Each structure stands twice: as structure tokens, then as C-alpha cells.
Amino acid sequence: MVRIHATSERQFSGDANIWNSLKSAIAASSGFQRWLLERDTQVQKLRLEEQVQRYLRETLETLAY
């Protein structure tokens, strides 16, 4: 049986803290604010988490071209 160590739980907690900080920084950026204003009200009603994920996805798709 494989045993999961407490360090992996601490790592997850650290990753969540980093993601929350990054999400807040992205949401405060002028690029995100402009992007959000250009979207319909359905996107504006989403949770911040979903908005940031969608913003990042669309930004990366644009850069891929």
C-alpha cells in the first residue's frame, strides 16, 4: 500500500496559496479588466476563478496563433 506523506498536503496548501495570489494579481490587471468589460454579462456573473481561467485560456489561444 502506498502511503501519502504530509509534505504533499503542505505542497497542495502552498500551491493553493500561490494560485490565490496569482488569481488576485491577474484580476487586478488592466488587461483582465479590459477583457472582462468586453465580455457579455454571463461571463461577468461567473466566479472569479472561472473568469480568470477563461481569460488565461483565451489569452494563451491568441498567443498560440
Side-chain angles (χ1 to χ4, degrees):
M1 176 184 271
V2 176
R3 190 173 169 148
I4 299 173
H5 298 284
T7 55
S8 63
E9 291 173 16
R10 281 184 283 175
Q11 180 64 41
F12 178 75
S13 176
D15 289 348
N17 290 337
I18 291 169
W19 169 242
N20 287 330
S21 295
L22 183 57
K23 182 174 51 177
S24 295
I26 291 168
S29 72
S30 60
F32 177 83
Q33 294 298 319
R34 188 173 345 111
W35 174 86
L36 191 57
L37 287 173
E38 295 171 354
R39 297 299 169 273
D40 60 26
T41 55
Q42 280 188 327
V43 172
Q44 294 175 3
K45 291 179 182 177
L46 295 174
R47 294 178 308 127
L48 180 61
E49 174 100 11
E50 295 168 311
Q51 290 174 341
V52 170
Q53 288 176 354
R54 193 174 286 198
Y55 169 74
L56 291 173
R57 185 180 313 112
E58 289 183 21
T59 301
L60 290 173
E61 287 173 355
T62 300
L63 291 173
Y65 291 113

